[in-house]
């Protein structure tokens, strides 16, 4: 027993001296008991009771540990705690730590505490070299008011940032975020969302495919197919800013606000919504469309304001107002429409077209009926003037006076009164539409009744009319127009597209084009980032580095499996002679490369995307080429790599020919192609998924070769 204790003491002293000389070795600071048993634990030291070890700034404590001195590797059991300064504290039932490569592994009720958050999961991997923690066995992160859950994720220690890729859910007392790609910065409370994501609150539903939300400030900025939905309002735009505290939203480019209760759609390239104040503002190619008896009314203005609660909405348009309805259109400087009063005021040089009638005046009031949702009447105040073309000839029927009052039936003018200083020029025709004469008169009041075709059927003059009916030949051309006559038929707005002036159409088209171009660029960028992240979390990042660096080389992985790297795939052999012949034939590649990762698993790797089958005796050297761009469209690939062999992200080898992908007829197809045309020995690696077997017989399917 004494010899055994002496041996342990000597061993511990030697270990301490060794660690003192080499700081890269794991240092055993304390243990109640230590034992060496070459039978049960070859080349290992058994430590039990209050074990404490350290290595380059990390301290580990546990109940029991196996320490392998040669490998500089330790396994810890029971109440394991790992502390890295003031940045991380991790507890678990079991852990492993490799001092040679500074990587840790923990499992069993793992809890990782950082200054801002706590992560609980079943298994954690910690790479101290790059200060990254990752898990793939469902994790829960608690950060003040926020609770995050995800199937897999990473924690960047230096940046204090979590990154999740699968089934992410962030819960807050006010909302819940769901996404498949979320980056969360614990210090700022900022969630970066990529790909389809939702933020659901009590009164709001937000969707985005690219954006961020700050849980501390309760503000967000959303891009790409984003929208904010309230109970009765939907806000869309290329770029949306949102402030939950004051219920404020602002949108830039291709903004669309849909009001389901008031049946209105507001569009423009910049808009603001103040939900608490029941108001919104829109500009830059601004328009509002609202449904009235199954017929939409379109209004444009430089600026449009909508205020008031449901049923009490007021719409105001400022500068260059234009509006269109199938039976009514017009222009003015500004417009004010009060929903509760059913009153629309056209202010500043208003002009109105109702079928073939042109009406002008200093001020116009359109009075509606909220029950029937139809126009009830019209008032034109000061300098009222109504003009319509004669039904047959080239002349114009004209009525002018101080004020004009019209009554509508089915949104058509059926009766009009013109009062004070009334004047009329009217082409009178019989039933055969023959001209009887031209009535030119003045009086104090004129009444007109319109037929179903909106033509003047009868006209009555009141209070001492003065005038006559002239034969056409007796009334000179210059006497057939009343003072102030101005026919503006060429300005008439005949469709909803006519409400926009030319300069705004040009602006709109430029913004739409830029938005499309920006979307494509950002889409490419997102796909590149998603590919990189997926490669990292799935382990494909390691394979990508190996394939890029060691093409045509023989490598041995962590399981001592010898593999030949061949154009983004692995080949293997059971025959040592074939390996020796390869080294002899290609002395440049005779040295084997050791990789400290498991690259080949005989349970899952065979017939997978990295499996290129057995090494052949006459193995030929082949080379890889990489595109200059990280992402390429199909059109770019077909143009740059026509008549070339490419390998896509899934390891699918394809032959590009005439704008299509050809797939091999059998195992010898590529071999024969390369034998006949040596240029095909250099293959192009494109880090995108280019081929899906659902594409068979599609536009990109070039058949077999």
């Amino acid at each position: 027993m004494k010899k055994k204790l002496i041996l342990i003491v000597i061993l511990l002293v030697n270990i301490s001296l060794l660690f003192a000389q080499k700081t890269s070795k794991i240092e055993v600071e304390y243990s109640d008991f230590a034992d060496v048993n070459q039978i049960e634990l070859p080349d290992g030291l058994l430590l039990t009771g209050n074990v404490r070890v350290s290595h380059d700034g990390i301290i580990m404590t546990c109940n029991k540990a196996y320490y392998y001195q040669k490998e500089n590797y330790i396994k810890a059991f029971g109440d394991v705690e790992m502390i890295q300064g003031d940045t991380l504290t991790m507890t678990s039932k079991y852990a492993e730590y490799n001092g040679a490569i500074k990587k840790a592994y923990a499992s069993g009720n793992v809890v990782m505490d950082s200054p801002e958050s706590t992560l609980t999961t079943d298994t954690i991997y910690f790479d101290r070299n790059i200060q990254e923690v990752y898990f793939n066995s469902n994790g829960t992160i608690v950060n003040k008011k926020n609770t995050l859950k995800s199937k897999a994720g990473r924690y960047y220690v230096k940046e204090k940032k979590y990154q999740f890729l699968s089934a992410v859910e962030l819960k807050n007392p006010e909302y819940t975020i769901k996404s498949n790609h979320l980056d969360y910065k614990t210090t700022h409370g900022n969630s970066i969302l990529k790909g389809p994501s939702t933020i659901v609150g009590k009164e709001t539903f937000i969707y985005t495919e690219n954006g961020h939300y700050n849980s501390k400030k309760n503000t967000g900025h959303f891009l790409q197919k984003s929208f904010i939905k309230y109970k009765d309002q939907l806000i869309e735009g290329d770029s949306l800013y949102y402030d939950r505290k004051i219920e404020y939203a602002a949108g830039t480019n291709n903004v669309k606000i849909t009001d389901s209760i008031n049946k209105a759609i507001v569009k423009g390239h910049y808009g603001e919504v103040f939900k608490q104040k029941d108001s919104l503002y829109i500009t830059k190619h601004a328009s509002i469309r609202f449904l009235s008896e199954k017929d939409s009314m379109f209004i444009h203005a430089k600026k449009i304001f909508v205020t008031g609660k449901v049923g009490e909405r007021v719409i105001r348009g400022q500068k260059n107002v234009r509006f269109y309805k199938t039976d009514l259109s017009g222009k003015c400087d500004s417009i004010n429409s009060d929903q509760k009063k059913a009153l629309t005021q056209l202010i500043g040089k208003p002009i109105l077209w109702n079928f073939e009638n042109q009406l002008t005046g200093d001020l116009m009031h359109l009075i509606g009926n909220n029950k029937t949702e139809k126009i009830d009447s019209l008032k034109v105040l000061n300098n009222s003037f109504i003009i319509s073309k004669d039904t047959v000839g080239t002349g114009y029927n004209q009525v002018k006076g101080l004020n004009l009052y019209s009554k509508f039936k089915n949104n058509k003018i059926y009766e009009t009164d013109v009062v004070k200083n009334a004047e009329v020029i009217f082409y009178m025709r019989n039933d055969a539409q023959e001209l009887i004469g031209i009535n030119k008169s003045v009086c104090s009041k004129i009444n007109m009744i319109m037929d179903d075709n909106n033509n003047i059927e009868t006209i009555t003059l009141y209070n001492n009319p003065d005038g006559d009916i002239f034969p056409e030949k007796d009334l000179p051309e210059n006497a057939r127009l009343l003072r102030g006559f101005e026919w503006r038929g060429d300005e008439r707005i005949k469709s909803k597209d006519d409400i926009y002036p030319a300069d705004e159409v040009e602006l709109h088209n430029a913004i739409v084009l830029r938005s499309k171009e920006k979307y494509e660029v950002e889409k490419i960028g997102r796909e590149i980032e998603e590919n990189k992240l997926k490669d990292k979390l799935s382990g494909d990042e390691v394979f990508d580095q190996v394939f890029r660096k060691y093409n045509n080389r023989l490598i041995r992985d962590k399981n001592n499996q010898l593999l030949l790297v061949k154009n983004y795939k692995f080949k293997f052999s059971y025959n040592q002679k074939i390996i020796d012949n390869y080294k002899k034939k290609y002395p440049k590649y005779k040295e084997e490369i050791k990789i400290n990762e498991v690259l080949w698993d005989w349970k899952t790797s065979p017939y997978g995307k990295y499996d290129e089958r057995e090494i052949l005796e006459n193995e030929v050297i082949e080379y890889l080429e990489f595109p200059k761009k990280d992402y390429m469209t199909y059109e770019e690939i077909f143009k740059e790599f026509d008549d070339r062999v490419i390998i896509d992200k899934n390891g699918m080898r394809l032959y590009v020919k005439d704008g299509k992908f050809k797939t091999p007829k059998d195992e010898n197809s590529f071999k024969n192609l390369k034998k006949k045309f040596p240029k095909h020995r250099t293959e192009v690696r494109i880090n995108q998924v280019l081929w899906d077997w659902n594409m068979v017989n599609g536009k990109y399917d070039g058949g077999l070769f």
Side-chain angles (χ1 to χ4, degrees):
M1 182 66 183
K2 288 183 179 180
K3 290 182 179 180
K4 188 173 183 180
L5 289 173
I6 292 170
L7 178 61
I8 291 171
V9 172
I10 293 172
L11 183 60
L12 288 173
V13 170
N14 288 334
I15 290 171
S16 299
L17 290 172
L18 181 63
F19 290 158
Q21 294 170 355
K22 296 183 179 180
T23 56
S24 61
K25 282 289 185 179
I26 296 172
E27 180 179 355
V28 179
E29 295 185 354
Y30 184 82
S31 174
D32 289 345
F33 301 97
D35 195 8
V36 175
N37 190 325
Q38 289 294 337
I39 297 175
E40 295 183 12
L41 196 64
D43 298 324
L45 176 64
L46 173 62
L47 305 170
T48 56
N50 297 310
V51 180
R52 178 186 171 98
V53 301
S54 62
H55 182 259
D56 287 354
I58 193 170
I59 297 172
M60 179 188 289
T61 60
C62 61
N63 296 332
K64 183 174 80 170
Y66 297 157
Y67 175 44
Y68 302 89
Q69 299 97 312
K70 290 182 180 180
E71 291 84 1
N72 200 20
Y73 192 88
I74 191 167
K75 294 182 178 181
F77 306 86
D79 297 330
V80 182
E81 184 177 60
M82 205 177 295
I83 301 174
Q84 178 181 272
D86 59 356
T87 57
L88 280 183
T89 299
M90 189 160 59
T91 61
S92 61
K93 290 183 178 180
Y94 173 76
E96 297 178 16
Y97 179 72
N98 190 325
I101 58 175
K102 298 179 74 172
K103 290 185 179 182
Y105 163 82
S107 65
N109 297 332
V110 182
V111 178
M112 185 192 78
D113 286 311
S114 63
E116 297 81 18
S117 60
T118 299
L119 164 65
T120 58
T121 184
D122 185 65
T123 304
I124 272 183
Y125 302 85
F126 180 26
D127 188 336
R128 296 188 64 207
N129 301 288
I130 56 176
Q131 288 295 296
E132 287 185 18
V133 177
Y134 63 96
F135 64 91
N136 54 15
S137 56
N138 292 318
T140 300
I141 297 93
V142 178
N143 169 248
K144 295 184 178 179
K145 293 182 179 180
N146 300 317
T147 301
L148 294 94
K149 292 183 179 180
S150 177
K151 288 184 178 180
R154 283 187 176 246
Y155 177 64
Y156 298 84
V157 180
K158 292 180 181 178
E159 299 176 45
K160 297 180 180 178
K161 181 183 80 172
Y162 283 98
Q163 191 171 66
F164 308 102
L165 255 193
S166 179
V168 191
E169 182 181 80
L170 184 155
K171 282 194 173 184
N172 182 283
E174 296 184 31
Y175 56 85
T176 299
I177 297 177
K178 290 185 178 181
S179 177
N180 278 325
H181 185 164
L182 185 150
D183 294 354
Y184 181 72
K185 291 193 174 182
T186 57
T187 51
H188 304 97
N190 202 33
S191 299
I192 299 171
L193 307 167
K194 298 179 182 179
S197 308
T198 60
I199 305 173
V200 182
K202 294 178 182 178
E203 301 290 335
T204 57
F205 179 94
I206 299 171
Y207 176 88
T208 185
E209 294 187 6
N210 183 17
H212 65 81
Y213 189 84
N214 190 297
S215 59
K216 291 185 177 181
K217 297 180 180 179
N218 269 321
T219 59
H221 187 202
F222 311 112
L223 309 165
Q224 299 300 337
K225 297 183 179 180
S226 305
F227 64 80
I228 302 169
K229 190 176 188 306
Y230 292 104
K231 184 179 180 180
D232 57 353
Q233 208 170 53
L234 177 67
I235 306 163
E236 304 169 80
D238 289 357
S239 173
L240 294 176
Y241 171 80
Y242 177 64
D243 189 323
R244 184 179 296 277
K245 292 180 181 178
I246 60 174
E247 289 192 280
Y248 165 82
T252 304
N253 293 343
N254 297 304
V255 178
K256 181 180 178 182
I257 304 166
T258 304
D259 186 333
S260 58
I261 292 181
N262 291 284
K263 300 177 183 178
I265 298 175
V266 181
K267 290 184 178 181
H269 290 299
Y270 179 77
E272 296 178 90
V273 176
F274 304 84
K275 185 64 177 174
Q276 292 179 357
K277 298 179 181 180
D278 291 303
S279 65
L280 66 85
Y281 160 71
I282 196 84
T283 188
K284 292 187 178 180
H285 200 65
S287 70
I288 181 168
R289 167 192 174 186
F290 53 90
L291 195 65
S292 176
E293 200 198 15
K294 300 181 181 179
D295 184 16
S296 293
M297 167 73 87
F298 298 86
I299 301 174
H300 161 271
K302 287 285 185 181
K303 299 177 182 179
I304 294 176
F305 302 85
V306 181
T307 58
K309 298 179 180 180
V310 175
E312 300 178 3
R313 292 285 165 91
V314 175
I315 299 170
R316 291 180 293 122
Q318 295 179 354
K319 294 184 180 180
N320 205 3
V321 176
R322 301 177 178 211
F323 54 91
Y324 170 79
K325 198 169 177 283
T326 54
D327 47 25
L328 192 73
S329 63
K331 298 161 60 174
C332 58
D333 291 338
S334 62
I335 189 171
N336 190 315
S337 182
D338 189 312
Q339 184 183 30
K340 188 176 181 179
K341 295 179 181 179
L343 172 65
T344 299
Q345 296 173 297
L346 309 181
I347 305 164
K349 300 177 182 178
I351 180 169
L352 193 69
W353 291 277
N354 177 242
F355 293 95
E356 300 306 317
N357 300 308
Q358 173 186 297
L359 294 91
T360 56
D362 292 350
L363 178 66
M364 291 187 184
H365 288 182
L366 278 167
I367 298 96
N369 187 314
N370 285 332
K371 291 183 179 179
T372 62
E373 295 185 347
K374 295 179 181 179
I375 299 173
D376 183 74
S377 58
L378 166 69
K379 293 180 182 180
V380 181
L381 306 177
N382 296 328
N383 297 312
S384 62
F385 207 132
I386 181 168
I387 306 172
S388 64
K389 278 189 173 183
D390 178 33
T391 54
V392 177
T394 59
Y396 295 90
N397 294 315
Q398 306 155 58
V399 179
K400 65 176 290 189
L402 182 64
N403 299 326
L404 180 150
Y405 305 95
S406 292
K407 295 179 181 179
F408 283 72
K409 185 183 291 183
N410 295 324
N411 288 331
K412 294 180 181 179
I413 296 175
Y414 79 91
E415 184 176 7
T416 298
D417 287 323
V418 178
V419 298
K420 291 187 180 180
N421 304 322
E423 299 180 59
V424 62
I425 291 179
F426 180 63
Y427 287 74
M428 303 179 68
R429 296 183 179 273
N430 59 23
D431 293 340
Q433 293 299 305
E434 297 171 336
L435 183 64
I436 299 171
I438 303 173
N439 186 345
K440 182 174 183 181
S441 304
V442 296
C443 60
S444 61
K445 177 183 176 182
I446 296 174
N447 176 266
M448 293 179 291
I449 303 296
M450 320 297 286
D451 62 18
D452 292 338
N453 296 319
N454 216 239
N455 297 316
I456 298 175
E457 188 174 70
T458 63
I459 185 166
T460 306
L461 284 64
Y462 293 91
N463 299 333
N464 302 317
D466 182 15
D468 205 347
I469 298 175
F470 298 90
E472 185 178 16
K473 62 183 178 62
D474 294 340
L475 190 64
E477 288 286 342
N478 60 3
R480 298 181 188 180
L481 299 177
L482 297 176
R483 185 184 296 275
F485 173 90
E486 184 182 8
W487 178 248
R488 296 164 62 184
D490 57 340
E491 298 179 36
R492 183 175 176 181
I493 298 168
K494 298 179 180 179
S495 73
K496 60 185 178 64
D497 295 325
D498 289 346
I499 65 173
Y500 302 105
D503 60 330
E504 290 200 20
V505 172
E506 185 178 348
L507 169 71
H508 169 73
N509 292 337
I511 289 174
V512 170
L513 180 61
R514 286 199 302 270
S515 293
K516 288 181 178 179
E517 292 173 347
K518 183 181 178 184
Y519 175 78
E520 290 301 321
V521 170
E522 290 179 349
K523 180 182 176 184
I524 289 171
R526 286 200 315 275
E527 289 179 354
I528 292 170
E529 289 302 314
E530 286 172 5
N531 282 346
K532 290 179 180 178
L533 193 54
K534 287 177 181 177
D535 286 349
K536 181 179 283 189
L537 290 183
S538 66
D540 283 359
E541 184 186 48
V542 174
F543 288 92
D544 188 75
Q545 292 173 359
V546 169
F547 292 143
R548 281 175 175 265
K549 192 173 182 179
Y550 299 118
N551 196 37
N552 296 313
R553 299 297 298 267
L554 291 164
I555 62 175
R556 285 191 184 274
D557 74 351
K558 195 172 182 179
N559 285 342
N560 201 37
Q561 176 64 46
L562 184 66
L563 301 162
L564 172 63
V565 177
K566 201 67 175 286
N567 290 17
Y568 266 76
K569 293 200 175 185
F570 293 123
K571 303 191 82 169
F572 57 88
S573 178
Y574 302 106
N575 192 331
Q576 185 61 40
K577 288 184 179 180
I578 292 178
I579 302 296
D580 294 338
N581 288 337
Y582 184 84
K583 292 179 178 180
K584 186 176 180 180
K585 187 176 181 180
Y586 304 111
K588 179 181 177 181
Y589 303 119
K590 67 179 181 180
E591 182 182 350
E592 295 179 9
I593 306 296
K594 291 186 178 180
I595 307 291
N596 192 31
E597 300 280 354
V598 176
L599 300 175
W600 191 264
D601 180 352
W602 282 101
K603 291 182 179 180
T604 58
S605 298
Y607 306 105
K609 67 178 181 178
Y610 298 134
D611 182 7
E612 187 72 334
R613 312 300 293 276
E614 291 188 69
I615 302 173
L616 305 175
E617 289 190 28
N618 56 345
E619 201 69 53
V620 178
I621 294 294
E622 295 175 348
Y623 299 97
L624 277 173
E625 179 181 340
F626 297 93
K628 294 179 181 178
K629 294 177 63 176
D630 287 332
Y631 182 91
M632 303 182 72
T633 63
Y634 282 134
E635 288 69 22
E636 290 173 330
I637 291 169
F638 295 143
K639 183 178 180 181
E640 187 167 343
F641 299 114
D642 186 51
D643 194 26
R644 296 290 302 275
V645 176
I646 64 174
I647 309 167
D648 81 348
K649 182 177 173 64
N650 279 342
M652 185 66 188
R653 188 174 276 110
L654 302 161
Y655 177 37
V656 179
K657 191 67 176 175
D658 299 328
K660 293 191 176 183
F661 297 122
K662 287 180 172 286
T663 50
K665 182 178 180 181
D666 52 41
E667 293 184 2
N668 293 318
S669 297
F670 281 116
K671 187 189 301 182
N672 294 333
L673 185 69
K674 293 173 183 179
K675 186 176 181 180
K676 188 175 181 180
F677 303 103
K679 74 172 185 177
H680 292 304
R681 291 179 186 172
T682 300
E683 299 180 347
V684 181
R685 162 65 178 184
I686 298 178
N687 193 32
Q688 298 164 228
V689 177
L690 300 174
W691 182 261
D692 182 330
W693 284 106
N694 292 323
M695 293 165 62
V696 174
N697 298 324
K699 62 184 285 190
Y700 298 124
D701 183 7
L704 304 175
F705 74 93

